[in-house]
Amino acid sequence: MKNEIICVFTLSVKEGQFANFRNLASEIVKETEKEPGTLTYMYSVSDDQKTAHIIEGYKADALVSHVDVTFAPFAERFISHVDVTGLTVYGETDEHIRKRLDAFGAVYMKTFAGFT
């Protein structure tokens, strides 16, 4: 996992907003696919469509660009459909990454063994 960051977001889907959120997620995924440093970007939802997860994997130097350039135009619509209820970040983060993720209440985990 050297030089890789994995983020797992837990989201609460607002009442009646799953269809809108699913459509928005498709737009975000389409743009994120163009990022050369994005390794994984996957949305999942519970059977009742009330809880969603986003699993994101980046080369460490690509995460800031994702947040600032790719995701920023979608941010207002995103938060109108969901609330971020948790974020766990795996890997070695620097101050630039933490500056973007702290606002989501990030919990940072340092890798001490393993590989991807």
Side-chain angles (χ1 to χ4, degrees), residues 23-77:
N23 292 336
L24 177 61
S26 293
E27 291 179 51
I28 297 169
V29 168
K30 189 175 192 177
E31 291 304 310
T32 302
E33 283 179 315
K34 299 174 187 175
E35 298 173 335
T38 300
L39 307 170
T40 302
Y41 198 73
M42 181 173 47
Y43 286 72
S44 300
V45 68
S46 60
D47 286 341
D48 63 5
Q49 299 181 338
K50 292 182 179 182
T51 302
H53 285 177
I54 309 171
I55 300 171
E56 304 179 6
Y58 302 95
K59 293 182 180 177
D61 61 355
L63 189 143
V64 170
S65 176
H66 170 76
V67 174
D68 291 355
V69 177
T70 304
F71 181 74
F74 300 103
E76 190 172 315
R77 287 172 47 207

Side-chain angles (χ1 to χ4, degrees), residues 1-2 6 90-92 109-116:
M1 268 189 71
K2 188 174 172 97
I6 296 172
Y90 303 90
E92 297 298 321
M109 305 293 289
K110 292 184 180 181
T111 303
F112 65 90
F115 67 92
T116 59

Side-chain angles (χ1 to χ4, degrees), residues 12 37 64 75 91 97:
S12 175
V64 170
I97 292 170

